[in-house]
Amino acid sequence: DVKVTQSSRYLVKRTGEKVFLECVQDMDHENMFWYRQDPGLGLRLIYFSYDVKMKEKGDIPEGYSVSREKKERFSLILESASTNQTSMYLCASSLSAGGQETQYFGPGTRLLVL
Amino acid sequence: SQELEQSPQSLIVQEGKNLTINCTSSKTLYGLYWYKQKYGEGLIFLMMLQKGGEEKSHEKITAKLDEKKQQSSLHITASQPSHAGIYLCGADFSNAGNMLTFGGGTRLMVKP
């Protein structure tokens, strides 16, 4: 079974803090993704990575950065958290690009920025 | 996303009843993925459809992709409380296999 884990289920931070969200997958997948999910807006892609040290902007990258130093780990960084970044953050991974490969999701991190 | 519309947005059914959720695209799909999300949790993969006219089933859930590959439906037979959750469709519009566009989701509640 594919397993995608996220470092925290719930997180409370203050405005201006630097926030790290970690995602780890154990299936040697090339692709990893970060989404945020908000009521009425659905799931929106923030960043994705198709290889170590490679990253691509998604639909809403502003205010976020990512890091992929190892294949199994993809980190989402909020350099200076703001209240409008309060959301549910979901990480996903898939095997490779170039075909129809299923994305498998982690359990999500619910972030509250005060 | 306006490229991918799900309907209805919310659905309440009596246990044992059948139901259908629709996912309609404004463009041709290369792949269509159905996921289920329990409240406040991650997404669980259900099925992937790729070919026009394709139909897949898993237990009491059947998903179909129309011939034009622009609309998919998810049908649940004899619904149970365990079917409750949010159903999301995700579309690959580019055939690159690495970026999905998601619909807004359908929240299903099943009354015992």
Side-chain angles (χ1 to χ4, degrees), chain A residues 64-97:
Chain A
Y64 302 94
S65 61
V66 290
S67 171
R68 188 141 180 229
E69 296 296 320
K70 293 185 178 181
K71 192 175 185 180
E72 67 270 18
R73 189 178 298 268
F74 192 34
S75 302
L76 180 70
I77 303 155
L78 287 65
E79 293 290 341
S80 177
S82 62
T83 54
N84 63 13
Q85 291 179 310
T86 290
S87 186
M88 173 73 146
Y89 289 88
L90 290 157
C91 173
S93 72
S94 67
L95 186 57
S96 64

mmCIF file of all heavy atoms in Angstrom, chain A residues 64-97:
data_model
loop_
_atom_site.group_PDB
_atom_site.id
_atom_site.type_symbol
_atom_site.label_atom_id
_atom_site.label_comp_id
_atom_site.label_asym_id
_atom_site.label_seq_id
_atom_site.Cartn_x
_atom_site.Cartn_y
_atom_site.Cartn_z
ATOM 1 N N TYR A 64 4.285 31.003 -0.590
ATOM 2 C CA TYR A 64 4.782 29.671 -0.252
ATOM 3 C C TYR A 64 6.095 29.394 -0.977
ATOM 4 O O TYR A 64 6.365 29.966 -2.027
ATOM 5 C CB TYR A 64 3.784 28.590 -0.678
ATOM 6 C CG TYR A 64 2.412 28.716 -0.088
ATOM 7 C CD1 TYR A 64 1.403 29.385 -0.787
ATOM 8 C CD2 TYR A 64 2.106 28.160 1.149
ATOM 9 C CE1 TYR A 64 0.127 29.506 -0.262
ATOM 10 C CE2 TYR A 64 0.829 28.272 1.683
ATOM 11 C CZ TYR A 64 -0.151 28.954 0.973
ATOM 12 O OH TYR A 64 -1.418 29.068 1.500
ATOM 13 N N SER A 65 6.890 28.518 -0.387
ATOM 14 C CA SER A 65 8.027 27.947 -1.084
ATOM 15 C C SER A 65 8.074 26.466 -0.742
ATOM 16 O O SER A 65 7.363 26.002 0.158
ATOM 17 C CB SER A 65 9.336 28.636 -0.703
ATOM 18 O OG SER A 65 9.599 28.487 0.683
ATOM 19 N N VAL A 66 8.879 25.712 -1.473
ATOM 20 C CA VAL A 66 8.973 24.272 -1.237
ATOM 21 C C VAL A 66 10.425 23.842 -1.277
ATOM 22 O O VAL A 66 11.301 24.543 -1.791
ATOM 23 C CB VAL A 66 8.169 23.455 -2.277
ATOM 24 C CG1 VAL A 66 6.680 23.626 -2.080
ATOM 25 C CG2 VAL A 66 8.595 23.807 -3.690
ATOM 26 N N SER A 67 10.649 22.650 -0.741
ATOM 27 C CA SER A 67 11.986 22.082 -0.738
ATOM 28 C C SER A 67 11.880 20.588 -0.945
ATOM 29 O O SER A 67 11.067 19.919 -0.295
ATOM 30 C CB SER A 67 12.670 22.370 0.595
ATOM 31 O OG SER A 67 13.889 21.671 0.712
ATOM 32 N N ARG A 68 12.710 20.066 -1.841
ATOM 33 C CA ARG A 68 12.763 18.613 -2.046
ATOM 34 C C ARG A 68 14.233 18.226 -2.159
ATOM 35 O O ARG A 68 14.803 18.165 -3.228
ATOM 36 C CB ARG A 68 11.999 18.192 -3.295
ATOM 37 C CG ARG A 68 11.894 16.670 -3.394
ATOM 38 C CD ARG A 68 10.573 16.251 -3.883
ATOM 39 N NE ARG A 68 10.446 14.812 -3.987
ATOM 40 C CZ ARG A 68 9.992 14.179 -5.047
ATOM 41 N NH1 ARG A 68 9.646 14.872 -6.129
ATOM 42 N NH2 ARG A 68 9.866 12.866 -5.039
ATOM 43 N N GLU A 69 14.811 17.914 -1.009
ATOM 44 C CA GLU A 69 16.214 17.513 -0.934
ATOM 45 C C GLU A 69 16.387 16.006 -1.079
ATOM 46 O O GLU A 69 17.441 15.532 -1.518
ATOM 47 C CB GLU A 69 16.830 17.982 0.393
ATOM 48 C CG GLU A 69 16.866 19.504 0.537
ATOM 49 C CD GLU A 69 17.769 20.150 -0.498
ATOM 50 O OE1 GLU A 69 18.854 19.605 -0.790
ATOM 51 O OE2 GLU A 69 17.380 21.206 -1.047
ATOM 52 N N LYS A 70 15.356 15.272 -0.691
ATOM 53 C CA LYS A 70 15.365 13.815 -0.832
ATOM 54 C C LYS A 70 14.093 13.391 -1.550
ATOM 55 O O LYS A 70 13.056 14.058 -1.449
ATOM 56 C CB LYS A 70 15.445 13.147 0.545
ATOM 57 C CG LYS A 70 16.750 13.368 1.263
ATOM 58 C CD LYS A 70 16.784 12.572 2.563
ATOM 59 C CE LYS A 70 18.117 12.758 3.249
ATOM 60 N NZ LYS A 70 18.198 11.971 4.511
ATOM 61 N N LYS A 71 14.168 12.299 -2.256
ATOM 62 C CA LYS A 71 13.050 11.856 -3.087
ATOM 63 C C LYS A 71 11.785 11.635 -2.276
ATOM 64 O O LYS A 71 10.678 11.906 -2.739
ATOM 65 C CB LYS A 71 13.438 10.566 -3.808
ATOM 66 C CG LYS A 71 12.480 10.166 -4.909
ATOM 67 C CD LYS A 71 13.013 8.957 -5.646
ATOM 68 C CE LYS A 71 12.133 8.613 -6.835
ATOM 69 N NZ LYS A 71 12.653 7.436 -7.568
ATOM 70 N N GLU A 72 11.928 11.120 -1.064
ATOM 71 C CA GLU A 72 10.749 10.736 -0.299
ATOM 72 C C GLU A 72 10.111 11.898 0.465
ATOM 73 O O GLU A 72 9.036 11.747 1.025
ATOM 74 C CB GLU A 72 11.097 9.607 0.681
ATOM 75 C CG GLU A 72 12.051 10.005 1.799
ATOM 76 C CD GLU A 72 13.514 9.813 1.434
ATOM 77 O OE1 GLU A 72 13.807 9.703 0.215
ATOM 78 O OE2 GLU A 72 14.340 9.775 2.359
ATOM 79 N N ARG A 73 10.759 13.039 0.504
ATOM 80 C CA ARG A 73 10.307 14.119 1.377
ATOM 81 C C ARG A 73 10.081 15.414 0.600
ATOM 82 O O ARG A 73 10.942 15.845 -0.171
ATOM 83 C CB ARG A 73 11.355 14.346 2.472
ATOM 84 C CG ARG A 73 10.932 15.290 3.569
ATOM 85 C CD ARG A 73 12.052 15.391 4.609
ATOM 86 N NE ARG A 73 12.316 14.104 5.240
ATOM 87 C CZ ARG A 73 11.750 13.687 6.351
ATOM 88 N NH1 ARG A 73 10.873 14.459 6.979
ATOM 89 N NH2 ARG A 73 12.058 12.515 6.851
ATOM 90 N N PHE A 74 8.927 16.029 0.823
ATOM 91 C CA PHE A 74 8.588 17.282 0.142
ATOM 92 C C PHE A 74 8.045 18.239 1.192
ATOM 93 O O PHE A 74 7.048 17.939 1.855
ATOM 94 C CB PHE A 74 7.538 16.996 -0.939
ATOM 95 C CG PHE A 74 7.291 18.123 -1.916
ATOM 96 C CD1 PHE A 74 8.313 18.963 -2.315
ATOM 97 C CD2 PHE A 74 6.033 18.302 -2.471
ATOM 98 C CE1 PHE A 74 8.091 19.977 -3.245
ATOM 99 C CE2 PHE A 74 5.790 19.316 -3.399
ATOM 100 C CZ PHE A 74 6.822 20.140 -3.780
ATOM 101 N N SER A 75 8.719 19.363 1.370
ATOM 102 C CA SER A 75 8.349 20.303 2.427
ATOM 103 C C SER A 75 7.689 21.545 1.838
ATOM 104 O O SER A 75 8.142 22.066 0.811
ATOM 105 C CB SER A 75 9.595 20.725 3.211
ATOM 106 O OG SER A 75 10.232 19.600 3.765
ATOM 107 N N LEU A 76 6.675 22.009 2.511
ATOM 108 C CA LEU A 76 6.015 23.274 2.160
ATOM 109 C C LEU A 76 6.374 24.290 3.233
ATOM 110 O O LEU A 76 6.255 24.002 4.424
ATOM 111 C CB LEU A 76 4.495 23.087 2.093
ATOM 112 C CG LEU A 76 3.685 24.336 1.726
ATOM 113 C CD1 LEU A 76 3.921 24.716 0.255
ATOM 114 C CD2 LEU A 76 2.197 24.100 1.974
ATOM 115 N N ILE A 77 6.808 25.466 2.809
ATOM 116 C CA ILE A 77 7.288 26.479 3.743
ATOM 117 C C ILE A 77 6.465 27.748 3.585
ATOM 118 O O ILE A 77 6.296 28.252 2.468
ATOM 119 C CB ILE A 77 8.777 26.784 3.488
ATOM 120 C CG1 ILE A 77 9.588 25.494 3.602
ATOM 121 C CG2 ILE A 77 9.288 27.829 4.485
ATOM 122 C CD1 ILE A 77 10.876 25.493 2.834
ATOM 123 N N LEU A 78 5.966 28.235 4.714
ATOM 124 C CA LEU A 78 5.323 29.538 4.745
ATOM 125 C C LEU A 78 6.320 30.468 5.414
ATOM 126 O O LEU A 78 6.564 30.364 6.622
ATOM 127 C CB LEU A 78 4.025 29.492 5.553
ATOM 128 C CG LEU A 78 2.809 28.782 4.936
ATOM 129 C CD1 LEU A 78 3.032 27.287 4.757
ATOM 130 C CD2 LEU A 78 1.566 29.045 5.756
ATOM 131 N N GLU A 79 6.952 31.339 4.632
ATOM 132 C CA GLU A 79 8.044 32.169 5.151
ATOM 133 C C GLU A 79 7.571 33.099 6.258
ATOM 134 O O GLU A 79 8.264 33.308 7.251
ATOM 135 C CB GLU A 79 8.656 32.990 4.012
ATOM 136 C CG GLU A 79 9.386 32.159 2.962
ATOM 137 C CD GLU A 79 10.688 31.547 3.484
ATOM 138 O OE1 GLU A 79 11.216 32.032 4.508
ATOM 139 O OE2 GLU A 79 11.183 30.582 2.869
ATOM 140 N N SER A 80 6.379 33.644 6.096
ATOM 141 C CA SER A 80 5.804 34.552 7.090
ATOM 142 C C SER A 80 4.290 34.344 7.058
ATOM 143 O O SER A 80 3.599 34.923 6.225
ATOM 144 C CB SER A 80 6.180 35.998 6.754
ATOM 145 O OG SER A 80 5.578 36.895 7.677
ATOM 146 N N ALA A 81 3.837 33.486 7.949
ATOM 147 C CA ALA A 81 2.433 33.060 7.887
ATOM 148 C C ALA A 81 1.472 34.242 8.025
ATOM 149 O O ALA A 81 1.710 35.169 8.814
ATOM 150 C CB ALA A 81 2.158 32.035 8.977
ATOM 151 N N SER A 82 0.397 34.173 7.266
ATOM 152 C CA SER A 82 -0.652 35.187 7.363
ATOM 153 C C SER A 82 -1.995 34.496 7.587
ATOM 154 O O SER A 82 -2.150 33.306 7.311
ATOM 155 C CB SER A 82 -0.691 36.035 6.090
ATOM 156 O OG SER A 82 -1.008 35.220 4.973
ATOM 157 N N THR A 83 -2.954 35.260 8.084
ATOM 158 C CA THR A 83 -4.249 34.672 8.439
ATOM 159 C C THR A 83 -4.952 34.061 7.221
ATOM 160 O O THR A 83 -5.698 33.089 7.351
ATOM 161 C CB THR A 83 -5.169 35.707 9.097
ATOM 162 O OG1 THR A 83 -5.281 36.846 8.240
ATOM 163 C CG2 THR A 83 -4.610 36.138 10.453
ATOM 164 N N ASN A 84 -4.699 34.594 6.022
ATOM 165 C CA ASN A 84 -5.359 34.035 4.833
ATOM 166 C C ASN A 84 -4.722 32.715 4.375
ATOM 167 O O ASN A 84 -5.145 32.121 3.383
ATOM 168 C CB ASN A 84 -5.412 35.046 3.683
ATOM 169 C CG ASN A 84 -4.036 35.451 3.199
ATOM 170 O OD1 ASN A 84 -3.036 34.834 3.531
ATOM 171 N ND2 ASN A 84 -3.973 36.501 2.407
ATOM 172 N N GLN A 85 -3.712 32.269 5.126
ATOM 173 C CA GLN A 85 -3.137 30.953 4.849
ATOM 174 C C GLN A 85 -3.702 29.886 5.790
ATOM 175 O O GLN A 85 -3.262 28.730 5.764
ATOM 176 C CB GLN A 85 -1.605 31.007 4.950
ATOM 177 C CG GLN A 85 -0.991 31.814 3.808
ATOM 178 C CD GLN A 85 0.502 31.920 3.889
ATOM 179 O OE1 GLN A 85 1.051 32.275 4.935
ATOM 180 N NE2 GLN A 85 1.179 31.640 2.783
ATOM 181 N N THR A 86 -4.655 30.273 6.601
ATOM 182 C CA THR A 86 -5.408 29.286 7.382
ATOM 183 C C THR A 86 -6.168 28.403 6.411
ATOM 184 O O THR A 86 -6.954 28.891 5.594
ATOM 185 C CB THR A 86 -6.391 29.995 8.331
ATOM 186 O OG1 THR A 86 -5.667 30.659 9.354
ATOM 187 C CG2 THR A 86 -7.354 28.995 8.960
ATOM 188 N N SER A 87 -5.894 27.109 6.492
ATOM 189 C CA SER A 87 -6.480 26.213 5.493
ATOM 190 C C SER A 87 -6.160 24.765 5.859
ATOM 191 O O SER A 87 -5.431 24.487 6.802
ATOM 192 C CB SER A 87 -5.902 26.523 4.112
ATOM 193 O OG SER A 87 -6.553 25.776 3.095
ATOM 194 N N MET A 88 -6.707 23.868 5.047
ATOM 195 C CA MET A 88 -6.337 22.452 5.108
ATOM 196 C C MET A 88 -5.296 22.223 4.013
ATOM 197 O O MET A 88 -5.546 22.548 2.848
ATOM 198 C CB MET A 88 -7.575 21.593 4.850
ATOM 199 C CG MET A 88 -7.295 20.111 4.713
ATOM 200 S SD MET A 88 -6.903 19.346 6.277
ATOM 201 C CE MET A 88 -7.636 17.719 6.030
ATOM 202 N N TYR A 89 -4.145 21.678 4.397
ATOM 203 C CA TYR A 89 -3.078 21.433 3.429
ATOM 204 C C TYR A 89 -2.940 19.933 3.199
ATOM 205 O O TYR A 89 -2.825 19.149 4.138
ATOM 206 C CB TYR A 89 -1.757 22.020 3.930
ATOM 207 C CG TYR A 89 -1.766 23.529 3.893
ATOM 208 C CD1 TYR A 89 -2.243 24.263 4.977
ATOM 209 C CD2 TYR A 89 -1.334 24.217 2.759
ATOM 210 C CE1 TYR A 89 -2.284 25.649 4.934
ATOM 211 C CE2 TYR A 89 -1.376 25.593 2.701
ATOM 212 C CZ TYR A 89 -1.854 26.303 3.798
ATOM 213 O OH TYR A 89 -1.901 27.674 3.746
ATOM 214 N N LEU A 90 -2.956 19.569 1.929
ATOM 215 C CA LEU A 90 -2.898 18.157 1.552
ATOM 216 C C LEU A 90 -1.681 17.910 0.669
ATOM 217 O O LEU A 90 -1.433 18.635 -0.291
ATOM 218 C CB LEU A 90 -4.158 17.752 0.795
ATOM 219 C CG LEU A 90 -5.419 17.698 1.661
ATOM 220 C CD1 LEU A 90 -6.659 17.850 0.807
ATOM 221 C CD2 LEU A 90 -5.489 16.389 2.421
ATOM 222 N N CYS A 91 -0.953 16.862 1.000
ATOM 223 C CA CYS A 91 0.193 16.431 0.213
ATOM 224 C C CYS A 91 -0.208 15.195 -0.579
ATOM 225 O O CYS A 91 -1.015 14.384 -0.109
ATOM 226 C CB CYS A 91 1.354 16.120 1.148
ATOM 227 S SG CYS A 91 2.785 15.392 0.348
ATOM 228 N N ALA A 92 0.360 15.042 -1.779
ATOM 229 C CA ALA A 92 0.079 13.866 -2.595
ATOM 230 C C ALA A 92 1.354 13.439 -3.303
ATOM 231 O O ALA A 92 2.293 14.233 -3.474
ATOM 232 C CB ALA A 92 -1.019 14.154 -3.614
ATOM 233 N N SER A 93 1.388 12.179 -3.734
ATOM 234 C CA SER A 93 2.512 11.712 -4.542
ATOM 235 C C SER A 93 2.003 10.796 -5.641
ATOM 236 O O SER A 93 0.921 10.198 -5.522
ATOM 237 C CB SER A 93 3.549 10.981 -3.685
ATOM 238 O OG SER A 93 3.076 9.718 -3.271
ATOM 239 N N SER A 94 2.762 10.709 -6.735
ATOM 240 C CA SER A 94 2.427 9.780 -7.805
ATOM 241 C C SER A 94 3.719 9.263 -8.418
ATOM 242 O O SER A 94 4.789 9.864 -8.254
ATOM 243 C CB SER A 94 1.547 10.432 -8.873
ATOM 244 O OG SER A 94 2.251 11.430 -9.570
ATOM 245 N N LEU A 95 3.579 8.154 -9.167
ATOM 246 C CA LEU A 95 4.758 7.404 -9.580
ATOM 247 C C LEU A 95 5.638 8.189 -10.553
ATOM 248 O O LEU A 95 6.803 8.379 -10.320
ATOM 249 C CB LEU A 95 4.325 6.075 -10.185
ATOM 250 C CG LEU A 95 5.444 5.113 -10.547
ATOM 251 C CD1 LEU A 95 6.304 4.820 -9.317
ATOM 252 C CD2 LEU A 95 4.863 3.812 -11.088
ATOM 253 N N SER A 96 5.082 8.646 -11.663
ATOM 254 C CA SER A 96 5.906 9.340 -12.659
ATOM 255 C C SER A 96 5.032 10.124 -13.596
ATOM 256 O O SER A 96 3.834 9.923 -13.659
ATOM 257 C CB SER A 96 6.745 8.349 -13.452
ATOM 258 O OG SER A 96 5.905 7.498 -14.194
ATOM 259 N N ALA A 97 5.623 11.004 -14.340
ATOM 260 C CA ALA A 97 4.877 11.797 -15.311
ATOM 261 C C ALA A 97 4.830 11.044 -16.638
ATOM 262 O O ALA A 97 5.453 10.010 -16.807
ATOM 263 C CB ALA A 97 5.552 13.147 -15.498
#
